[in-house]
Amino acid sequence: MNKTPTRAAAQAAHEVRIIGGQWKRSKLPVADRPGLRPTPSRVRETLFNWLGQDLSGWRCLDAFAGTGALGLEAGSRGAAEVTLVEHDPVLCKSLQATALRLKAGTVRVERGDGVAALRQRAGQGLDLVFLDPPFGDGGNEALFSTALRSARQAVAENGLVYLEAPRTWGDDELAQIGLQTHRHGRAGQVHFHLLRPLPPQ
């Protein structure tokens, strides 16, 4: 029996699709880059069921954009402003090409560090920040903590932070950052969280 993958199957393994909104079913290329791990479709579907299907007027930042699947999903559902931040030049070029192909006028691609981009936006009251940092061999604990603190400073008091991580972040440790769990799920080894800022003391 021939188990060699077909060309179509090989191609499918190197792309994901937007699942809702005006760009529904549009393909996003998945480059063969170290640590690139696109958010699975079923996780994105759950997330946008939590968020609601209409994000009209929302200002969003995807701090570790990769394929852009999270930020572009928000843009597809009407977000007024989506910033995709990615440090890898190959992925940045791919994101720019995708935004051009989709005629995504509300989407801006920035090459740079996701945490630095969040720090630059401290106090700007973003509606939604996506955090999907590379997990790394040791879990990248310091990066996750720093990214969460920076996201907390960038979102509005009624804003939201989405986090993908290799473990669950508990409310006690989130409280030290000024965040609390709104929703949580798990898909295989990935824990995904929707977080809200704690109300001011």
Side-chain angles (χ1 to χ4, degrees):
M1 183 177 177
N2 183 5
K3 293 190 176 181
T4 304
T6 66
R7 187 172 181 178
Q11 178 66 22
H14 288 85
E15 63 188 31
V16 294
R17 292 175 184 261
I18 295 175
I19 57 176
Q22 63 178 323
W23 304 322
K24 185 176 181 178
R25 289 189 284 276
S26 296
K27 297 175 183 178
L28 306 177
V30 179
D32 187 13
R33 306 298 285 175
L36 184 61
R37 179 187 40 78
T39 301
S41 295
R42 67 190 181 100
V43 173
R44 280 183 285 130
E45 185 172 10
T46 299
L47 170 61
F48 284 90
N49 283 338
W50 292 347
L51 292 171
Q53 303 302 318
D54 183 0
L55 304 189
S56 294
W58 289 37
R59 298 167 61 231
C60 310
L61 187 143
D62 190 345
F64 303 89
T67 63
L70 290 168
L72 290 170
E73 198 78 59
S76 184
R77 297 162 192 262
E81 178 186 308
V82 178
T83 304
L84 306 176
V85 183
E86 175 55 52
H87 76 279
D88 186 312
V90 172
L91 295 177
C92 266
K93 189 173 181 180
S94 178
L95 289 169
Q96 288 164 346
T98 297
L100 192 62
R101 172 169 52 87
L102 295 174
K103 299 184 170 117
T106 58
V107 175
R108 185 169 53 138
V109 178
E110 286 185 13
R111 185 183 171 195
D113 178 76
V115 171
L118 287 168
R119 286 174 173 162
Q120 288 170 3
R121 289 163 173 82
Q124 290 190 10
L126 297 175
D127 297 293
L128 176 61
V129 169
F130 296 106
L131 297 179
D132 183 12
F135 287 3
D137 292 337
N140 265 351
E141 287 287 313
L143 174 59
F144 278 84
S145 179
T146 303
L148 283 166
R149 290 182 186 280
S150 302
R152 172 62 185 89
Q153 297 304 311
V155 295
E157 291 303 322
N158 62 346
L160 294 161
V161 176
Y162 172 74
L163 171 70
E164 280 186 38
R167 66 172 180 87
T168 300
W169 278 71
D171 278 335
D172 287 346
E173 59 187 334
L174 288 170
Q176 297 175 32
I177 299 172
L179 293 166
Q180 60 185 331
T181 303
H182 178 56
R183 297 284 182 91
H184 172 264
R186 181 177 179 180
Q189 300 302 307
V190 176
H191 296 258
F192 52 102
H193 315 64
L194 193 58
L195 311 173
R196 289 189 179 279
L198 282 168
Q201 297 294 322

